Amino acid sequence: MEKIASFTVDHIRLLPGIYVSRKDHADGAVITTFDIRMTSPNDEPVMNTAEVHTIEHLGATFLRNHETFKDRVIYFGPMGCRTGFYLLLAGDYRSADIVPLMTEMFSFIASFEGEIPGASPKDCGNWLDMNLPMARYLAKKYLNEVLTDIQECRLTYPE
């Protein structure tokens, strides 16, 4: 079998950032998959499931309510390795195109207060596995260390 695209990325040299993982075509439309990498793979601790789950709920809610992008969002969810998230958008995009969107989203998460959307037994299959303080901490860290004045090396996969 051929390796899938995400397994061909050099995870040893990969920095936290925003990367175009792949572009697919469906019925003449382009779907862009983004790698929203929050931690340095194999170098720093992965995120725990509770904060990943919280970021997923807050991020998906934010994106699906965003005035400009809500109708373009196909999917937002965690990577199995717990180092980041995948975002699938309808359209042909570059990494730099969504920096403002990700800055808005992570600002929303970093400052979120109140009940986490969808965190109830009726709405979620693991509703107790949430950690808002840690999700807020990680969102703020990503904003400060990655998104603010983002560098080109955090927008293009290492060769």
Side-chain angles (χ1 to χ4, degrees):
M1 275 193 241
E2 291 182 36
K3 274 188 179 182
I4 62 172
S6 61
F7 295 157
T8 65
V9 174
D10 185 348
H11 286 74
I12 295 169
R13 297 178 43 224
L14 185 60
L15 298 171
I18 300 172
Y19 305 96
V20 171
S21 175
R22 59 186 289 154
K23 293 185 183 187
D24 294 294
H25 300 271
D27 291 332
V30 177
I31 298 171
T32 305
T33 299
F34 292 97
D35 172 338
I36 312 299
R37 192 66 61 150
M38 292 184 66
T39 67
S40 181
N42 304 307
D43 185 45
E44 60 184 319
V46 299
M47 297 177 286
N48 292 312
T49 60
E51 49 262 33
V52 167
H53 193 196
T54 305
I55 291 169
E56 175 194 16
H57 275 239
L58 292 172
T61 299
F62 173 84
L63 291 165
R64 292 193 181 276
N65 284 280
H66 192 273
E67 191 172 312
T68 305
F69 282 90
K70 66 182 175 186
D71 294 329
R72 300 177 197 174
V73 175
I74 306 292
Y75 173 79
F76 175 75
M79 297 176 176
C81 62
R82 295 182 289 144
T83 63
F85 295 83
Y86 287 114
L87 170 61
L88 281 70
L89 294 177
D92 189 358
Y93 296 98
R94 298 172 302 124
S95 298
D97 295 336
I98 67 158
V99 170
L101 177 64
M102 290 297 94
T103 300
E104 280 183 68
M105 184 183 85
F106 282 100
S107 295
F108 170 79
I109 295 168
S111 63
F112 186 84
E113 293 182 13
E115 299 217 5
I116 299 163
S120 74
K122 181 179 177 231
D123 298 336
C124 178
N126 194 12
W127 72 281
L128 291 174
D129 190 24
M130 299 278 180
N131 186 339
L132 181 57
M134 188 54 100
R136 290 177 59 175
Y137 168 82
L138 290 170
K140 186 175 182 179
K141 181 177 187 284
Y142 191 67
L143 278 166
N144 293 337
E145 295 179 8
V146 178
L147 295 175
T148 302
D149 298 320
I150 193 164
Q151 305 297 308
E152 182 62 32
C153 63
R154 295 179 184 270
L155 295 169
T156 306
Y157 278 137
E159 296 289 322

